Amino acid sequence: MRRHAIVLALLLGAGLAGAPARAGDATGAYAPYEDLLEVLGDLTWHLRDDLYRFPPPKDPTGHDLYRLALSRLENWEKRYPGRLRDVVGYARAEALERLGEYAKAAAGYGQVAAEGSPLADQARTARDRAAGFAAAAALPEDGPDVDTTLAALRKKLDAWGRLVERWTGTPYETPALVEEERLERAAASVVVRNRTILREGNLTAERALRFLIQKHADSRNLPDHILRLGDLYAEVARDYVEQHERPLAFEEDEFVQRADRALEMYRKVATWDGAREKPEAQGRFAAFDAYKTSVLSRYR
């Protein structure tokens, strides 16, 4: 918290703790704030939020707080050009870093470090950290075919894995975990999309999704991962019906086993109080349960 104490001390020393400068008659979430302390107070309060386990913070208007902070800093800077440039620049870089814009954040920290500000030492440290994140984020994620794409994702995952280890136990571990989870979800999606051309594609896709669920059991995205597994099971059940259209080829027990696996995944999320995916899961459960009933009535 020493860094934030320095920022607030600079503001207080500049007289911003006194009567705030007027911001005109603008209203709404994006209106210029009268007091920069109010903008920085909201941002600073949420800089240590765990974005891996919990959703991004919202302000009372329902907008993303980090994006709002950027807009309000920009509006304040336009109204008071050149005033407290290092404080505003540092705060902007912090918001950009929390939004995953690591290259822009590193550049912003670098500008503050070059200004001879009391924040210069802190800015240099932050610049180096953000630059490391930016280097990992800049690695490619795709290729001309499945194997190349998965290899690119693996290389990028290795880079983010090193950052997770480097920043374990600090507020910067969670952004690295967010990126690691996103890439592993992307890799699983590649496998699911190409399961028909992969060896033992259905089993490989299931393993990829189950790995995602098990590894990221603490993530705020866990309900979504479970829904994705349910979608895979639902597609496998539909594939079975398409491949066994003739009445004598269709085995009810085989179909029911596949369909019930999908319904079980949907049911888990559909009864998950507090999950934002709950209504979506309820809809998927109802729709696929109706599909199951329709198929069974067709072959009985």
Side-chain angles (χ1 to χ4, degrees):
M1 297 300 293
R2 180 175 177 272
R3 177 185 66 219
H4 306 309
I6 293 176
V7 173
L8 294 178
L10 286 172
L11 289 172
L12 292 171
L16 286 186
R22 298 299 302 172
D25 298 325
T27 60
Y30 294 93
Y33 264 35
E34 293 183 328
D35 192 344
L36 185 57
L37 278 173
E38 190 172 356
V39 181
L40 295 185
D42 288 342
L43 176 61
T44 301
W45 184 263
H46 291 283
L47 283 176
R48 293 176 175 268
D49 283 8
D50 187 342
L51 301 183
Y52 175 70
R53 293 171 177 83
F54 303 101
K58 306 286 186 181
D59 87 330
T61 68
H63 294 81
D64 182 283
L65 188 140
Y66 302 123
R67 295 180 63 184
L68 273 182
L70 284 177
S71 297
R72 288 165 175 167
L73 286 169
E74 180 182 357
N75 291 335
W76 193 91
E77 196 171 29
K78 287 179 179 178
R79 190 166 293 273
Y80 310 111
R83 188 174 178 184
L84 293 170
R85 186 170 57 185
D86 56 342
V87 175
V88 174
Y90 194 97
R92 181 187 297 110
E94 287 183 312
L96 286 168
E97 189 174 13
R98 298 305 277 173
L99 288 168
E101 298 290 342
Y102 300 112
K104 293 180 180 179
Y109 287 131
Q111 290 177 358
V112 176
E115 290 180 358
S117 161
L119 292 170
D121 289 341
Q122 300 285 351
R124 278 189 285 271
T125 300
R127 177 197 59 197
D128 294 343
R129 178 188 65 246
F133 278 59
L139 293 173
E141 300 180 12
D142 52 17
D145 53 45
V146 176
D147 290 339
T148 307
T149 298
L150 290 175
L153 287 169
R154 170 48 55 194
K155 182 178 180 181
K156 193 164 186 174
L157 272 167
D158 289 342
W160 281 107
R162 289 190 291 271
L163 288 172
V164 171
E165 293 179 5
R166 166 67 178 83
W167 297 103
T168 296
T170 75
Y172 308 105
E173 176 188 9
T174 56
L177 284 172
V178 168
E179 288 295 331
E180 185 180 56
E181 179 187 26
R182 183 186 67 81
L183 291 168
E184 287 173 341
R185 181 172 56 193
S189 296
V190 171
V191 173
V192 171
R193 286 197 306 269
N194 294 278
R195 61 190 174 87
T196 58
I197 63 174
L198 294 174
R199 183 180 179 183
E200 297 184 336
N202 288 341
L203 181 59
T204 303
E206 180 183 6
R207 286 174 175 171
L209 290 171
R210 286 198 172 276
F211 170 80
L212 194 63
I213 291 170
Q214 292 168 3
K215 180 174 180 179
H216 298 286
D218 293 332
S219 168
R220 62 187 172 92
N221 294 316
L222 179 60
D224 182 67
H225 300 331
I226 295 174
L227 278 183
R228 287 170 179 261
L229 181 58
D231 290 342
L232 172 65
Y233 288 152
E235 286 302 314
V236 170
R238 291 190 178 95
D239 290 346
Y240 178 82
V241 175
E242 291 179 3
Q243 295 163 7
H244 300 81
E245 290 185 352
R246 296 181 181 276
L248 294 181
F250 181 84
E251 294 287 342
E252 180 175 318
D253 290 344
E254 290 291 329
F255 169 71
V256 169
Q257 181 184 29
R258 290 166 170 78
D260 284 351
R261 290 197 301 174
L263 290 172
E264 178 60 24
M265 295 300 106
Y266 292 151
R267 184 184 292 108
K268 284 183 178 181
V269 183
T271 57
W272 194 322
D273 291 339
R276 67 180 185 276
E277 296 87 356
K278 181 177 180 178
E280 182 181 359
Q282 291 172 335
R284 293 192 192 185
F285 180 90
F288 194 73
D289 190 45
Y291 169 77
K292 173 187 172 183
T293 301
S294 174
V295 170
L296 291 177
S297 65
R298 187 191 318 164
Y299 287 99
R300 284 176 175 171

